[in-house]
Amino acid sequence: MAIVAPSLLAADFVRLAEDIARVEAAGADWLHLDIMDGHFVPNITIGPDQVKNLRGCIDLPFDTHLMISRPLQYIPRYAQAGADIITFHEEVQDDAWDCIRLIRQYGKKPGMVISPDTPVEVLAPYLDDLYMVLVMSVYPGFGGQKYI
């Protein structure tokens, strides 16, 4: 089954409400939120307060992709802000099992992400405990890149 999850990063932030309404009307299944901290990747995007504001006006499930060095610090805030699925990178500093447990503790669906150069085999120990896996087709940090 295919899931269509347009990224908020591709939206025109001046016309954010219009762009989101367009993806909802077009039949998107989820809204993908790229969360960047300026440490794990060299870019910064939206925080939990913006996610909470979006949650108040959008019914689509939020696929919340944490591109942050220390996801354990932020999982509670994004969970409480309205994330439905919370994915984190295998390459982060925090323990993957701790991240998975914490996401589940908040009643959310855990997922793991790997960057293009990371071997898929690193995911094997976690597969039975994940809702989803995201294999990046670009290096994390900037939207609009060409696929590798």
Side-chain angles (χ1 to χ4, degrees):
M1 177 177 80
I3 301 271
V4 177
S7 174
L8 186 70
L9 196 59
D12 177 347
F13 276 63
V14 172
R15 294 181 171 82
L16 188 56
E18 295 167 35
D19 280 2
I20 291 171
R22 284 182 33 221
V23 299
E24 282 186 297
D29 299 297
W30 301 345
L31 185 62
H32 183 85
L33 306 177
D34 290 298
I35 310 298
M36 303 179 205
D37 66 357
H39 296 108
F40 183 72
V41 296
N43 202 359
I44 298 173
T45 56
I46 64 173
D49 292 340
Q50 289 77 29
V51 171
K52 182 178 179 181
N53 290 338
L54 289 168
R55 178 76 297 158
C57 61
I58 301 168
D59 292 328
L60 291 175
F62 286 174
D63 168 22
T64 310
H65 175 192
L66 302 181
M67 287 178 267
I68 59 178
S69 295
R70 298 281 189 183
L72 286 172
Q73 260 184 304
Y74 292 95
I75 288 168
R77 293 187 65 201
Y78 283 99
Q80 293 167 346
D84 298 291
I85 304 156
I86 300 176
T87 62
F88 62 93
H89 277 258
E90 188 278 335
E91 304 91 353
V92 298
Q93 297 170 4
D94 290 334
D95 180 74
W97 289 115
D98 289 343
C99 291
I100 292 167
R101 280 191 286 275
L102 187 58
I103 293 166
R104 288 196 182 281
Q105 182 181 333
Y106 278 90
K108 307 303 177 177
K109 297 173 181 172
M112 282 182 76
V113 184
I114 57 171
S115 296
D117 294 338
T118 301
V120 296
E121 292 81 12
V122 302
L123 297 170
Y126 310 103
L127 291 177
D128 289 340
D129 293 288
L130 298 173
Y131 175 73
M132 68 173 281
V133 167
L134 173 60
V135 178
M136 301 271 308
S137 57
V138 298
Y139 292 104
F142 293 94
Q145 299 178 61
K146 291 187 181 200
Y147 291 135
I148 297 171

